[in-house]
Amino acid sequence: MTEKDTLMRIGELSARTGASVRSLRYYEQQGLLTSTRTTGAHRLYTEAAVDRVHLLRLLYEAGLSSDTIATLLPCVDAPAEKVTVDTLDVMQRERERINTQIAAMLTTRDHLDVLIEAATGHLDRQRDAALTT
Amino acid sequence: MTEKDTLMRIGELSARTGASVRSLRYYEQQGLLTSTRTTGAHRLYTEAAVDRVHLLRLLYEAGLSSDTIATLLPCVDAPAEKVTVDTLDVMQRERERINTQIAAMLTTRDHLDVLIEAATGHLDRQRDAALTT
DNA sequence: GTAGAATCTGACGTTGATGTCAGGTTCAAC
DNA sequence: GTTGAACCTGACATCAACGTCAGATTCTAC
């Protein structure tokens, strides 16, 4: 058995992932995270849960919704068994959404760079003027 | 005068930008969009409003909030007059946020590519099996 | 001047991920 | 067995960018 069985409770998982306890419970409620339970109904997580939560955070940060993640996770876990034309469609739509949003962010970042350049220049001149007064 | 004075009303601006009428009023309420008014209080927009709305949509799509946009717009309009250390800070924070989110989206897109590859392969095999039955 | 389309303001509804609080239970250590 | 920390469920709160609806007013064309 490779089962090290080093189970942790929700507080530790929260500390190790940065996700709030509330969020972890929410993820479970959305079917994105599983846990075994203690006889007293306290949640127990394996080491693998840490990676799973990190994956969830990544996908959330990339703008995926809980629903979308719930649709795609089976494909992540069961490499090919759970794939349907619908899930493939979700993947491709999401990929498109990400592409357009990346484009918007790149353009916006360029705009910000111009603004930052102008702003630092302006503030530098202001500071110089103040120093020579 | 270069004032062509081809003013348009909110319905036309909506049609030309893709933003809903509701959104345009909301933008104005947030101080992101200005309009003159007809004697009967109907909004009138110049051609420049089209570009402004497109800019707003871009910034929203890049994840900026109304508040952030409201802070930065003066810097866009008055190249250097309205810049303070605070606005510069907002710009830099927003740039950082965009960078980390782009990173998340790139990683997620890579994951999706792997999934899509596996999925198309699996579905192709399924289809082939069905055809040869 | 009248009809019908467009617009106005104001207010309440929605959605999704999470915060927060209440009241009760369980766990770990002593 | 007692205590204090951690945990449980359930419920309501939040926030932002809208949607939507109501009731009134204005514009445009005839």
Side-chain angles (χ1 to χ4, degrees), chain A residues 110-120, chain B residues 72 75-76 79 83 88 91:
Chain A
D110 286 349
H111 287 204
L112 281 176
D113 285 344
V114 172
L115 287 181
I116 289 172
E117 188 69 19
T120 50
Chain B
L72 298 185
C75 303
V76 174
V83 177
L88 179 58
M91 294 176 200

Side-chain angles (χ1 to χ4, degrees), chain A residues 51-131:
Chain A
D51 289 344
R52 160 109 329 175
V53 173
H54 282 143
L55 174 62
L56 294 179
R57 306 291 283 177
L58 174 76
L59 298 179
Y60 277 121
E61 180 140 31
L64 303 227
S65 71
S66 293
D67 258 27
T68 302
I69 299 176
T71 302
L72 298 186
L73 270 189
C75 303
V76 175
D77 294 336
E81 309 300 321
K82 292 292 194 168
V83 177
T84 71
V85 286
D86 289 343
T87 58
L88 179 58
D89 194 54
V90 170
M91 294 177 201
Q92 284 166 340
R93 285 182 198 280
E94 212 59 37
R95 213 195 108 98
E96 263 317 292
R97 190 194 55 75
I98 286 177
N99 277 341
T100 63
Q101 191 170 352
I102 286 180
M105 296 176 74
L106 289 177
T107 304
T108 297
R109 193 177 66 181
D110 286 349
H111 287 204
L112 281 176
D113 285 344
V114 172
L115 287 181
I116 289 172
E117 188 69 19
T120 50
H122 183 71
L123 290 177
D124 280 358
R125 279 192 303 276
Q126 247 182 255
R127 188 204 42 169
D128 290 353
L131 283 180

Side-chain angles (χ1 to χ4, degrees), chain A residues 14-25:
Chain A
S14 170
R16 289 179 57 183
T17 59
S20 72
V21 168
R22 174 68 173 91
S23 293
L24 295 176
R25 295 203 189 102

